[in-house]
Amino acid sequence: MQMKFVSLKKRIGVHVAGGPSQTVEKGPAAATVAAMPDKIPFIKPRLLVKKGDAVKIGTPLFEDKGNPKLRFLSPGGGTVAEIDYGHRRAITHIVIKTDKTEALESFDPVDEKGLKKLDRESLVETLMDRGLWPLIRSLPYRGIASPDEKPSSLWVSLDSADPFQVPSNLYLKDKEGLFLFGIRVLEKLCQPVYVCETEGAPVRSGEIAPLVTHRASAIYPAEDPGVLLYHTKKSPDENQAWFLKGQDVLLLAEGLKTGRYPTSRIIAVSASVNGNGSGNMAAGRCVDTRLGAPLASLLPNPETASDRRWIAGGIFQGYTTAPDGYMGFYETSLTLIEEAADPELFGFLRPGLFKPTASRAFLYALHKKHFTAKADMRGEERACINCGKCEQVCPVDIMVQFTYKCIYAGEIEEALMHGLLDCVECGLCSYVCPAKIELAETLKTTRQDYYQDRI
């Protein structure tokens, strides 16, 4: 197959300073790990353990009420120390206090020969039993894929143009054969399987290079599976597709080959520092840790960053968390940025040399230097001013301002006509909005509500 190149006509340069290093550090042993059901979309968890229970790595902790075969396994061995509840008794954390031995649940390993003997139905059942099926997600809603679906394709994104993600050359090092096995597993579930890398990615090894079918421009979020599908599909019949991140392919392959629930994860960590507005960032790090690791274990001195905003999953698509929190099932990055500062005195008179802008409103437009990411919105939410900035940067050509107004008016069917389901939740519309409207969150919440109403 000839490699295809995917480029975005609508784009904005995201000149955020910082990013992870090109080396991986071994993280410290974690005294506790956790599973967070509320960070897994569209499931209704039913607990299978209680506080004080002894568990092994791979012991089922909870299942989906809608599909009891969909089980979520323990990332640690020890004792269930806490079960925390949030709004409306939603389970937020199942905390495991690990012991020294950390016993393992074992399964029958599946090698190359065993994989060839498995039919699709048996493979699905195996992935379900071993807690590996949730790694496979579905477009357009981005929930866990249903094994009853018939997807048009399956997408694997090796890299991300988000500056705060783990480079593929780090997590694939010495694991090329395992990744190749993972792709063969996916080809048993769905065909075709497309593998996408980002322009400028390191030269691939002989095993990985033939797998790459698409190359995306290094402009965020060109490598997103929803963007790739939008720019390559030829009919609406292709809208239903599956996707995985590169690291998740490794987890899936490891879980089958070793017969043990995989818990390793490389996390990209970046933290902002006080500077003169020139965009200084502390040296990023990539930490070899485990699923459900405590956030504090990812930093050498977490107490010095207690006044920062902790974001899991990336500054555009992630969520705010706390220093005493844990990494979610899908997240591979932790970013710490400066909290909102006090309003600038006569800020409206300042030229904005270091204030990022999508227009020519500030002098920043003249140099486009990298800036320090901050939580400050530099303004307050106002009514939509119909500027069209959101539409100018949308990677999937949604008429964002009209979609938002339809949602605000309760006209969901009309919002769907404007492209609501194509939204890839990249966050760029919120990023460029001069009225400071949380457009991305509005579209995301509406999509989720629409899905919940349909099931």
Side-chain angles (χ1 to χ4, degrees):
M1 178 185 296
Q2 185 177 2
M3 185 180 298
K4 298 180 180 179
F5 185 76
V6 178
S7 181
L8 300 181
K9 294 180 180 179
K10 296 181 179 180
R11 58 174 64 188
I12 178 174
V14 181
H15 305 286
V16 185
S21 66
Q22 287 295 319
T23 58
V24 179
E25 306 172 30
K26 183 64 179 177
T32 59
V33 293
M36 298 193 293
D38 67 326
K39 299 304 180 186
I40 302 175
F42 308 126
I43 67 164
K44 296 179 180 179
R46 178 190 290 120
L47 281 172
L48 300 175
V49 294
K50 61 182 181 296
K51 185 176 178 179
D53 283 357
V55 295
K56 300 178 182 180
I57 295 176
T59 298
L61 296 179
F62 61 96
E63 64 187 16
D64 182 18
K65 292 179 181 178
N67 182 4
K69 291 184 178 181
L70 192 59
R71 292 188 164 194
F72 301 82
L73 311 188
S74 174
T79 306
V80 179
E82 296 289 342
I83 299 177
D84 299 329
Y85 296 87
H87 180 61
R88 300 183 66 179
R89 297 284 293 173
I91 305 169
T92 58
H93 296 82
I94 303 173
V95 181
I96 311 298
K97 184 178 180 181
T98 59
D99 56 30
K100 292 183 179 180
T101 58
E102 285 207 82
L104 293 158
E105 295 280 4
S106 59
F107 307 94
D108 293 331
V110 178
D111 57 13
E112 297 280 359
K113 291 182 179 179
L115 179 63
K116 291 180 180 179
K117 294 179 181 178
L118 286 176
D119 57 25
R120 186 183 187 278
E121 185 178 348
S122 299
L123 179 58
V124 169
E125 186 176 344
T126 300
L127 294 173
M128 287 275 198
D129 291 342
R130 302 183 186 199
L132 302 173
W133 187 264
L135 295 168
I136 306 172
R137 289 181 283 173
S138 175
L139 293 170
Y141 298 103
R142 297 180 178 256
I144 298 171
S146 168
D148 298 327
E149 289 179 0
K150 293 184 178 179
S152 61
S153 56
L154 191 151
W155 294 83
V156 176
S157 296
L158 292 176
D159 304 283
S160 174
D162 184 323
F164 304 113
Q165 297 292 342
V166 182
S168 60
N169 61 305
L170 295 187
Y171 69 75
L172 285 175
K173 185 178 180 181
D174 301 325
K175 294 185 177 181
E176 291 87 352
L178 191 63
F179 184 84
L180 187 62
F181 178 73
I183 294 298
R184 293 196 184 105
V185 172
L186 297 177
E187 288 175 340
K188 277 246 174 184
L189 298 172
C190 169
Q191 289 194 11
V193 173
Y194 298 127
V195 179
C196 177
E197 67 178 10
T198 302
E199 188 179 18
V203 177
R204 305 293 178 190
S205 72
E207 290 183 295
I208 300 295
L211 301 177
V212 179
T213 59
H214 292 71
R215 178 172 292 140
S217 60
I219 300 293
Y220 176 80
E223 82 296 337
D224 183 277
V227 176
L228 295 169
L229 179 64
Y230 178 82
H231 288 279
T232 57
K233 66 183 180 181
K234 297 179 180 179
S235 73
D237 296 336
E238 300 176 52
N239 284 337
Q240 196 171 52
W242 291 354
F243 70 96
L244 293 89
K245 291 182 179 180
Q247 283 206 67
D248 293 339
V249 176
L250 291 177
L251 291 179
L252 185 144
E254 181 184 346
L256 285 177
K257 261 199 166 181
T258 64
R260 295 177 294 183
Y261 185 63
T263 61
S264 60
R265 176 77 90 184
I266 297 178
I267 305 295
V269 183
S270 298
S272 62
V273 296
N274 292 325
N276 58 4
S278 60
N280 295 324
M281 295 287 283
R285 56 204 308 254
C286 288
V287 183
D288 184 359
T289 182
R290 59 193 297 174
L291 289 174
L295 300 182
S297 69
L298 304 177
L299 296 175
N301 299 298
E303 63 279 356
T304 62
S306 59
D307 60 340
R308 302 304 170 97
R309 180 168 298 188
W310 296 52
I311 303 172
I315 57 174
F316 291 103
Q317 293 179 300
Y319 55 86
T320 301
T321 182
D324 60 352
Y326 296 83
M327 289 302 299
F329 185 72
Y330 297 114
E331 282 67 57
T332 56
S333 74
L334 173 66
T335 310
L336 281 68
I337 64 176
E338 294 183 27
E339 275 289 2
D342 295 330
E344 291 181 286
L345 183 62
F346 300 117
F348 61 93
L349 294 176
R350 302 195 179 197
L353 190 60
F354 299 106
K355 294 179 180 178
T357 178
S359 66
R360 291 179 289 179
F362 297 143
L363 286 182
Y364 176 83
L366 299 179
H367 63 74
K368 297 291 187 181
K369 291 182 179 179
H370 285 57
F371 64 90
T372 301
K374 298 183 179 180
D376 195 347
M377 293 177 66
R378 298 195 183 277
E380 60 186 16
E381 185 174 330
R382 300 178 291 276
C384 177
I385 59 175
N386 300 316
C387 64
K389 290 294 180 185
C390 51
E391 187 178 339
Q392 292 171 17
V393 300
C394 180
V396 290
D397 303 321
I398 297 174
M399 302 178 71
V400 183
Q401 59 183 353
F402 296 112
T403 306
Y404 169 75
K405 291 180 178 180
C406 290
I407 294 171
Y408 192 77
E411 298 293 339
I412 302 303
E413 292 300 324
E414 190 169 347
L416 294 171
M417 293 175 61
H418 286 306
L420 175 62
L421 295 187
D422 286 324
C423 176
V424 296
E425 303 173 11
C426 65
L428 289 181
C429 51
S430 294
Y431 176 67
V432 302
C433 179
K436 314 298 180 186
I437 300 172
E438 292 289 356
L439 296 167
E441 187 62 29
T442 301
L443 267 61
K444 178 180 178 179
T445 302
T446 305
R447 279 158 45 89
Q448 291 179 342
D449 291 344
Y450 177 74
Y451 176 81
Q452 296 282 21
D453 289 342
R454 293 178 67 243
I455 60 176

